[in-house]
Amino acid sequence: MLTVLFYVLLSMAAAHFIYERILLPSLRLHYRNKLFELRDTVRNEIISDHSEDNTKAAQLVHEALNNAINRLHLMTITNRVRAKIRLESNPEIRAKLNREVELFARCNNPVINDSIKESAKILEKVYVLNNLMLILYTFPIYLVVASIANVVKAANNLLTLISDRKSLEQAVMLLPDRQVAKLVTSDGRAFA
């Protein structure tokens, strides 16, 4: 039994190493190149569009894409939790983010807006890729928790149905025989 466990753990370690050190950097590079393409598109818009709001939004998107290109490796679950906690506790940073989001909302350039949406999709994909091994490791735990939750929910529903006395008592007391028969018999026939 210990030998099997050893080989299972060895296989998991090998799979983890291959994914984290060989496949994941290549996948990140692919999405980094897509971000470079988006950044080039935004640069062209900065050159061609001269309205103030659109130019500010385009410059902000350009800077954001530069940041994203260099920080794809930071897209992890633990960093998301840390960022959420620190954003909630720091109103200064939250206010700055809200101002920049409002600037994006005022932008009416479809190329800039599409670049923002596309970059968000890319970051979501990178987030999943960066956390894929953790998701695979915790998937059995998730299945156990989901199964237990379904059993508890079914038991709760059954308990609610059994303990609800009013509906049966009211039906027996107030409805005619034919309607009560439809409620309580499986085939809906009158009582024998």
Side-chain angles (χ1 to χ4, degrees):
M1 185 68 176
L2 265 139
T3 308
V4 173
L5 180 63
F6 174 76
Y7 284 119
V8 167
L9 291 176
L10 187 65
S11 300
M12 287 175 64
H16 187 88
F17 178 80
I18 290 169
Y19 181 77
E20 289 285 329
R21 298 292 176 213
I22 298 170
L23 295 176
L24 186 58
S26 300
L27 293 169
R28 274 196 210 122
L29 180 63
H30 169 73
Y31 287 113
R32 185 172 281 125
N33 289 337
K34 287 187 176 284
L35 289 173
F36 277 122
E37 291 174 11
L38 285 174
R39 187 185 68 179
D40 292 342
T41 305
V42 170
R43 280 184 179 170
N44 290 336
E45 284 303 308
I46 291 172
I47 293 168
S48 65
D49 192 355
H50 298 293
S51 69
E52 187 176 339
D53 279 345
N54 288 345
T55 302
K56 284 182 183 177
Q59 288 172 344
L60 189 59
V61 171
H62 183 269
E63 290 173 21
L65 287 170
N66 280 335
N67 291 337
I69 287 167
N70 294 324
R71 298 177 184 157
L72 289 180
H73 65 283
L74 297 176
M75 300 292 295
T76 62
I77 291 173
T78 54
N79 285 339
R80 177 174 275 189
V81 170
R82 258 188 236 122
K84 184 171 177 56
I85 291 169
R86 290 180 182 157
L87 270 175
E88 289 174 359
S89 66
N90 195 335
E92 209 174 279
I93 296 175
R94 216 177 28 226
K96 184 176 192 260
L97 282 175
N98 289 337
R99 281 193 306 270
E100 292 176 357
V101 168
E102 288 172 11
L103 182 62
F104 291 144
R106 286 195 311 263
C107 179
N108 58 8
N109 186 328
V111 174
I112 300 300
N113 293 336
D114 289 344
S115 296
I116 294 168
K117 291 175 187 172
E118 186 62 30
S119 65
K121 289 178 186 175
I122 290 171
L123 290 178
E124 286 175 6
K125 291 175 184 174
V126 170
Y127 178 74
V128 169
L129 289 172
N130 284 348
N131 295 296
L132 186 61
M133 292 308 285
L134 179 64
I135 292 168
L136 290 177
Y137 292 152
T138 58
F139 188 70
I141 297 169
Y142 169 77
L143 284 178
V144 168
V145 170
S147 299
I148 291 170
N150 284 337
V151 168
V152 168
K153 185 178 178 182
N156 191 22
N157 288 341
L158 182 62
L159 186 61
T160 302
L161 286 173
I162 292 171
S163 65
D164 183 22
R165 296 180 188 159
K166 286 185 180 181
S167 59
L168 180 61
E169 291 168 352
Q170 289 172 348
V172 167
M173 294 290 291
L174 301 173
L175 294 176
D177 283 344
R178 287 186 184 156
Q179 290 176 341
V180 172
K182 287 181 182 177
L183 291 176
V184 296
T185 60
S186 60
D187 56 3
R189 288 186 286 163
F191 300 111

